[in-house]
C-alpha cells in the first residue's frame, strides 16, 4: 500500500490499483451521514468504523453524532494511521484528536468479536466491497460467518452499513437471508458526477435471536 501525491491530490494505491483519493469522497461521506442520521434519537451512540482511509467517513460521523457519542476506528495497516497524523493531517483536520474517537490498529473482524451487543452502527469501508481486493481474508467480513458476528455485535435495531465500489446482488441477498432489512443507496463518487458507488444500510430489528442483546449497555460500558 502506497500514498501518492500530485499537487494537492493524494491517492492511496495497492500496486497500480487506486483505492481512494481526496477528491472523490462523496460516497465515503454518505456512508456515515446516512447511517448516523438514523442514530439521532439514540443517546450515547456507539459506532465502529472499519477502515480509516483518508478520514472522510470518520469526519462525517463526528459531524452527525452528538457530544456523548463514541467512535471506534479499526485500521489494520499502521502506515494508514501514520499518514493520517503526518502528510494527510490537514485532510483529517484534527478529527483523530476528538475526545469521542478511539483508533485501534487492529483487524476490524477481531474488534467486532470482542464485545457483543456493543454498537449502534458498524460502518465497513474495507477493501473494495464484499469481494476482497487487497486481502482475501477480508471476504470473511461479508460471508455468513462475518454477518452473523456483525449482527451479534450490534445493539437492537443496530445498523450494518457497507461501502462497495459496485453492486453485488449476491451480497444483498445474503444480508436479507441473515435477517437484515436492507436499503441500497447509490452515490456518485464525486458529488453529482463520476462513478456510482453502492451503500447498503442493513438493520436487524429483531433482537430475540441475539442472546447478548439485553446485556448490550452493560457490556458496552466495559469497552468505554
Amino acid at each position: 500500500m502506497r500514498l501518492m501525491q500530485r499537487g494537492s491530490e493524494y491517492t492511496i494505491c495497492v500496486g497500480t490499483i487506486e483505492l481512494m483519493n481526496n477528491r472523490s469522497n462523496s460516497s465515503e461521506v454518505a456512508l456515515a451521514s446516512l447511517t448516523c442520521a438514523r442514530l439521532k434519537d439514540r443517546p450515547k451512540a456507539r459506532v465502529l468504523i472499519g477502515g480509516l482511509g483518508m478520514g472522510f467517513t470518520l469526519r462525517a460521523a463526528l459531524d452527525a453524532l452528538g457530544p456523548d457519542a463514541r467512535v471506534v476506528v479499526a485500521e489494520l495497516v499502521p502506515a494508514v494511521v501514520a499518514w493520517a497524523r503526518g502528510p494527510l493531517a490537514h485532510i483529517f483536520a484534527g478529527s483523530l484528536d476528538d475526545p469521542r474517537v478511539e483508533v485501534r490498529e487492529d483487524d476490524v473482524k477481531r474488534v467486532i468479536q470482542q464485545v457483543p451487543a456493543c454498537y449502534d452502527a458498524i460502518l465497513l469501508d474495507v477493501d473494495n466491497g464484499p469481494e476482497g481486493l487487497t486481502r482475501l481474508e477480508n471476504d470473511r467480513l461479508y460471508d455468513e460467518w462475518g454477518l452473523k458476528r456483525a449482527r451479534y455485535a450490534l445493539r437492537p435495531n443496530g445498523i450494518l452499513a457497507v461501502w462497495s465500489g459496485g453492486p453485488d446482488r449476491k451480497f444483498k441477498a445474503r444480508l436479507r437471508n441473515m435477517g437484515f432489512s436492507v436499503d441500497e443507496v447509490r452515490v456518485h463518487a464525486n458529488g453529482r458526477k463520476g462513478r456510482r458507488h453502492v451503500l447498503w444500510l442493513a438493520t436487524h430489528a429483531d433482537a430475540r435471536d441475539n442472546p447478548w442483546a439485553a446485556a448490550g449497555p452493560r457490556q458496552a460500558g466495559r469497552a468505554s
Side-chain angles (χ1 to χ4, degrees):
M1 188 172 289
R2 298 177 297 160
L3 176 65
M4 311 290 290
Q5 179 182 2
R6 183 175 60 184
S8 61
E9 182 174 357
Y10 292 84
T11 304
I12 294 178
C13 300
V14 172
T16 60
I17 301 173
E18 179 181 301
L19 293 182
M20 67 194 75
N21 65 65
N22 63 313
R23 293 186 180 277
S24 301
N25 53 67
S26 296
S27 59
E28 287 87 349
V29 170
L31 179 67
S33 60
L34 293 176
T35 302
C36 293
R38 301 185 179 194
L39 305 180
K40 62 182 181 180
D41 295 325
R42 302 192 194 189
K44 298 182 179 180
R46 296 296 181 262
V47 175
L48 171 62
I49 298 177
L52 178 59
M54 291 187 171
F56 296 109
T57 299
L58 172 60
R59 286 177 61 187
L62 293 175
D63 288 343
L65 293 169
D68 59 352
R70 179 173 177 233
V71 181
V72 176
V73 182
E75 174 53 57
L76 181 64
V77 182
V80 174
V81 180
W83 294 335
R85 297 194 180 278
L88 300 180
H90 63 292
I91 295 175
F92 278 80
S95 58
L96 294 184
D97 299 319
D98 190 301
R100 296 173 291 175
V101 175
E102 176 189 356
V103 178
R104 300 182 189 176
E105 293 185 13
D106 202 349
D107 191 329
V108 69
K109 295 194 299 294
R110 187 177 298 112
V111 176
I112 286 172
Q113 296 179 67
Q114 287 174 350
V115 184
C118 180
Y119 300 105
D120 294 289
I122 298 173
L123 283 59
L124 296 180
D125 185 0
V126 177
D127 221 304
N128 202 43
E131 292 187 2
L133 176 65
T134 62
R135 297 176 72 244
L136 292 178
E137 295 91 334
N138 289 339
D139 287 346
R140 293 308 306 273
L141 281 169
Y142 308 106
D143 62 14
E144 290 187 0
W145 179 92
L147 295 180
K148 181 178 180 180
R149 278 148 185 80
R151 191 181 69 193
Y152 283 166
L154 289 169
R155 293 173 175 175
N157 298 306
I159 302 167
L160 174 64
V162 180
W163 182 98
S164 177
D168 189 322
R169 288 184 295 176
K170 290 183 178 179
F171 177 67
K172 184 177 180 181
R174 193 179 308 134
L175 283 168
R176 288 175 169 164
N177 290 339
M178 294 300 294
F180 289 94
S181 61
V182 184
D183 291 328
E184 181 177 291
V185 183
R186 302 197 180 197
V187 181
H188 285 290
N190 188 11
R192 297 183 178 181
K193 60 183 180 179
R195 181 179 178 181
R196 285 181 181 266
H197 295 155
V198 177
L199 310 177
W200 293 286
L201 306 184
T203 304
H204 199 274
D206 189 351
R208 289 175 299 177
D209 62 347
N210 186 339
W212 297 309
R218 177 177 60 84
Q219 293 282 9
R222 294 183 182 181
S224 297

